[in-house]
Amino acid sequence: MSGLSTHVLDTANGVPGAGICIKLFRVEADQLHLVTSTVTNSDGRTDALLLTSGELRVGKYQLQFDTADYFRSRGSLVPDPAFLDDIVIRFGINNTEEHYHVPLLVSPFSYSTYRGS
């Protein structure tokens, strides 16, 4: 099954990143086109795929995670402006027959990502 999915892990607190606003954009000629927006569930995942197999197209995409508001809502001391406010990950999809999973591991001062399965 192909498609695009994500999940967020709060590495500072050792819990799923629940309630994080996520926006997915398609990047075309350096212009951003909003594809969808969603909020992570209690497991730090989205309730549905960000792109289904029928929606998946070759191209450049951008995920934006609103992490500063998430950490503030948990009572973390986040400076204003936050060191990491919106985390942006740009990535490419080159095969619509494959599944793309883009997880985010995050704390108020660092993050990492990778292509998952």
Side-chain angles (χ1 to χ4, degrees):
M1 177 180 83
S2 64
L4 173 64
S5 59
T6 189
H7 76 273
V8 182
L9 296 175
D10 173 348
T11 58
N13 296 292
V15 297
I20 295 177
C21 296
I22 300 172
K23 291 180 183 171
L24 173 67
F25 298 91
R26 183 164 169 83
V27 183
E28 296 175 343
D30 291 329
Q31 297 288 321
L32 297 178
H33 302 279
L34 182 65
V35 175
T36 190
S37 60
T38 189
V39 176
T40 56
N41 60 25
S42 62
D43 196 33
R45 299 179 181 278
T46 58
D47 289 331
L49 290 173
L50 297 171
L51 292 173
T52 64
S53 59
E55 298 168 322
L56 203 61
R57 295 186 355 210
V58 170
K60 190 185 297 186
Y61 292 85
Q62 177 174 304
L63 278 169
Q64 179 178 313
F65 300 85
D66 187 0
T67 56
D69 285 346
Y70 163 77
F71 283 110
R72 285 186 183 111
S73 74
R74 289 192 51 87
S76 297
L77 295 176
V78 178
D80 188 20
F83 179 69
L84 296 174
D85 191 358
D86 294 321
I87 294 176
V88 173
I89 301 170
R90 278 206 178 176
F91 60 97
I93 291 176
N94 64 2
N95 185 340
T96 60
E97 300 299 313
E98 296 180 357
H99 183 79
Y100 289 79
H101 184 68
V102 184
L104 176 67
L105 290 73
V106 65
S107 80
F109 298 97
S110 69
Y111 72 92
S112 65
T113 189
Y114 55 93
R115 180 172 176 194
S117 58

